Structure formats: C-alpha cells, structure tokens
Amino acid sequence: MFSVQSSELQQISVEDLMIPAEKVAHVQNQNPLEHALLVLVKSGYSAVPVLNPSFRFEGIISKTMILDHILGIERFEVEKLSAATVKEVMDRDVPTINKKDSFLKALKSVINHPFVCVVDEDGLFDGILTRRVILKQLNRHLHEYNNGR
Ligand code: AMP
C-alpha cells in the first residue's frame, strides 16, 4: 500500500509549497469593510488574511462575513461598509501553520479549510498554504507511485 511516511512527501515542508506573503492579497485590521470587500471582489478570492500594521497575522475575512454583517431585516445596509472596520467582523479563531511544518501536518490542516495561513514564532505572516497545492502534490505522488509499481 502507498505510504506517505515512506515516500518523498516526508521530505517536503510547508515552505516548499506555500504562496509567499508578497504574492498574497491581504487587508489590515483597521481598514473599513468597504476596502476589504473591494479587495475580495477584485481579487476573486472568497477570503483573505487580515494583518496588523506590523505585518502580524490577526485572522481572516470573507465575503460571507461582510455580507452577514451588513444584512438588515429587509435590505443590505451598505452604509455599514464605511462605518465598520475589518477587526469588528473578521474571524480570529482560525488555525495557522509554520513554514517548517511537515507535509502531513499541512495535509491535516487543510481538511476543513481551503487555505491556512503560515505564521512564524513571532506571529509574523509568512504566506498561505492552499488545499489546491496540497492535493496537487498528493496527486503527483500517487501517480508516481502507481507508475513505479
Ligand atoms: P485556490 O486554491 O487557488 O482556489 O485558493 C483557495 C483560497 O485561498 C482562495 O479562495 C483564497 O481565499 C485563498 N487564496 C489563494 N491564493 C491567494 C492569494 N494569492 N492571495 C490571497 N488569498 C489567496
């Protein structure tokens, strides 16, 4: 049977697979919701990381969180987009991973999330790891294993 433990996957760390911070769209915790919604709509992403002004990871914000926040009884209260800031709406309760973590830990971390944020020991944001990249890597190794049999 295919064993992740005994394969080359064991040699791969989060660092090899992550999208580095400079290529990741993000917003700051003090930004108005309007700015976050613009970033989300223009980038086409459903959620992006939230950082503080010192580039420390704070959480994530999604289109759904913003739409839920501005939903009134009968209409979207769009005036709330400029009145509220990202930190009032964002989700802080999200897992993070370290760039030195193993492929197996990365695989586990994306089971319930389309992406996880990569954060260092001081809380500084290093990038993100997507479920797509993990599945791609796993798929490649499964094919290589099957072809080698
Ligand atoms: P993907 O696997 O490319 O579909 O990405 C899954 C999710 O990860 C997206 O919906 C975004 O929330 C996030 N994501 C992927 N790439 C980026 C990026 N370059 N900047 C910000 N968020 C991203």
Side-chain angles (χ1 to χ4, degrees), residues 35-98:
H35 174 76
L37 189 58
L38 265 172
V39 169
L40 286 161
V41 172
K42 281 196 164 182
S43 66
Y45 298 129
S46 42
V48 291
V50 180
L51 308 182
N52 74 10
S54 330
F55 224 68
R56 284 195 161 74
F57 176 71
E58 298 259 314
I60 62 166
I61 189 149
S62 70
K63 285 174 191 153
T64 309
M65 289 171 209
I66 296 175
L67 291 177
D68 276 349
H69 185 79
I70 65 168
L71 182 62
I73 306 281
E74 287 187 338
R75 65 177 188 96
F76 285 111
E77 296 166 355
V78 288
E79 59 280 6
K80 285 187 177 168
L81 285 175
S82 50
T85 57
V86 167
K87 62 173 172 264
E88 296 166 52
V89 177
M90 63 188 258
D91 185 4
R92 294 173 188 274
D93 187 20
V94 289
T96 60
I97 196 164
N98 186 279

Side-chain angles (χ1 to χ4, degrees), residues 17-19 129-138:
L17 302 174
M18 70 186 202
I19 303 174
L129 182 70
T130 65
R131 188 189 284 157
R132 180 200 299 271
V133 168
I134 292 287
L135 289 178
K136 220 168 136 183
Q137 195 70 32
L138 195 54

